[in-house]
Amino acid sequence: MKKTIVSMLAALMLMGTVASAAPAKGRGGFMGFIGGCCFGLRCGTAYNDGKEIHWREWIRIIPVVGLVVGIWDGIDCAGGKTTSDLAAEYGSMYY
């Protein structure tokens, strides 16, 4: 158990140094990695373009709650909600 934790911490530290040194422009870095890895390419590139990550995307990290929010997002999309609707509701900083 200790070896697993130590190796995960070492990987996190290595990833933090590599990811923070990699981007020459834009935001990128560790938060860009989290956005792209956990929330998909669209979210990661939107974060690098200056958008913020919405709380409904952050909550997807929690396993069971993320499933509920995924269904919630599906219901919103099935109802015809578009990006411009979300921008009007939450502001252009998110969408």
Side-chain angles (χ1 to χ4, degrees), residues 20-46:
S20 63
K25 62 174 185 139
R27 298 173 86 171
F30 182 69
M31 289 301 295
F33 173 79
I34 293 294
C37 178
C38 296
F39 310 121
L41 183 64
R42 179 186 159 292
C43 178
T45 54

Side-chain angles (χ1 to χ4, degrees), residues 11-94:
L12 182 66
M13 288 173 32
L14 177 65
M15 181 183 60
T17 58
V18 170
S20 63
K25 62 174 185 139
R27 298 173 86 171
F30 182 69
M31 289 301 295
F33 173 79
I34 293 294
C37 178
C38 296
F39 310 121
L41 183 64
R42 179 186 159 292
C43 178
T45 54
Y47 176 79
N48 289 338
D49 285 338
K51 303 288 184 183
E52 293 299 323
I53 300 174
H54 193 270
W55 67 269
R56 281 170 68 169
E57 293 172 336
W58 279 114
I59 201 92
R60 289 181 182 265
I61 293 176
I62 304 169
V64 176
V65 179
L67 178 65
V68 172
V69 171
I71 294 169
W72 181 12
D73 290 345
I75 291 169
D76 278 350
C77 292
K81 192 171 274 196
T82 63
T83 306
S84 60
D85 295 334
L86 293 172
E89 186 175 343
Y90 296 109
S92 61
M93 140 181 225
Y94 290 108

